[in-house]
Amino acid sequence: MVRIKSPIHSSAEAKSPATAICAPRLLPAASRVVRPAAAGFTLIELIITVAIVGILALGLLPLTQLASQRAKEQELRAALREIRTAIDEHKKAADENRIEKKADQSGYPANLEALVEGVKDIKTPEGKMIYFLRRLPRDPFAEDDSLPAAKTWGLRSYDSPPDDPREGDDVFDVYSLSQRKGLNGVAYREW
């Protein structure tokens, strides 16, 4: 039988033929090298991850722009409805003789500010004010934020035709001054 002499085995272990053959050869603890598991990502993994995230972001960008435009369109619809309802209520109050109106006037407000500032109710003895709007909404597509809300809208007088709106002595209708088209293909100024 061949005996293997190992520096880490004691002399008692070395004398036993069973341990000499079966025992694994162990290195001293000081000479063993322990390598930690590889931590982190490789450069190629990072580049691929950044590329995938970039592609996903580019796909979401048009969706966020579309959502933003839809929100502005909803705001435009609501503002037009609110102003037009107030204009109609002003006309109704004039037709019911609650507002002073001359014979040559249409009964529509002279300007948009009159809807917020209010007019005197001539049917009440105290001369209470009738208010048609709490505040005048802005055109959400108006680009100049320094303009007052009334200047963000195009005005159509009662005497002007619908295909060629222009300002006059009263405000019969309002429209957006934006040159852009809506998602439905109709220009905002035609809403």
Side-chain angles (χ1 to χ4, degrees), residues 1 7 14 20-21 38 59 61 68 74 79-81 84 87 91 105 114-115 122 130-132 148 154 156 158 189:
M1 213 176 238
I21 295 172
L61 186 62
S68 172
Q74 288 176 345
L80 286 171
R81 188 177 307 115
R84 288 172 175 162
I87 290 171
K91 171 70 170 150
Q105 291 179 328
L115 299 172
I122 58 173
I130 303 173
Y131 299 100
F132 302 98
R156 175 182 166 211
Y158 183 71
R189 49 184 304 119

Side-chain angles (χ1 to χ4, degrees), residues 60-146:
L60 291 177
L61 186 62
L63 292 177
T64 58
Q65 290 174 342
L66 183 67
S68 172
Q69 185 174 357
R70 274 198 183 127
K72 280 187 172 184
E73 286 185 2
Q74 288 176 345
E75 191 178 340
L76 176 63
R77 278 189 195 98
L80 286 171
R81 188 177 307 115
E82 185 178 2
I83 294 171
R84 288 172 175 162
T85 300
I87 290 171
D88 291 342
E89 289 297 317
H90 188 283
K91 171 70 170 150
K92 181 180 175 186
D95 289 346
E96 293 172 350
N97 294 322
R98 294 180 63 199
I99 297 174
E100 186 177 335
K101 171 181 97 167
K102 295 181 183 172
D104 62 339
Q105 291 179 328
S106 64
Y108 289 102
N111 53 42
L112 291 177
E113 290 86 354
L115 299 172
V116 178
E117 294 167 359
V119 291
K120 285 189 179 182
D121 185 351
I122 58 173
K123 284 197 170 184
T124 61
E126 305 88 35
K128 290 185 177 179
M129 300 292 284
I130 303 173
Y131 299 100
F132 302 98
L133 286 174
R134 288 187 180 96
R135 66 169 185 83
L136 186 63
R138 294 180 57 81
D139 181 352
F141 291 100
E143 296 176 5
D144 189 0
D145 291 335
S146 65

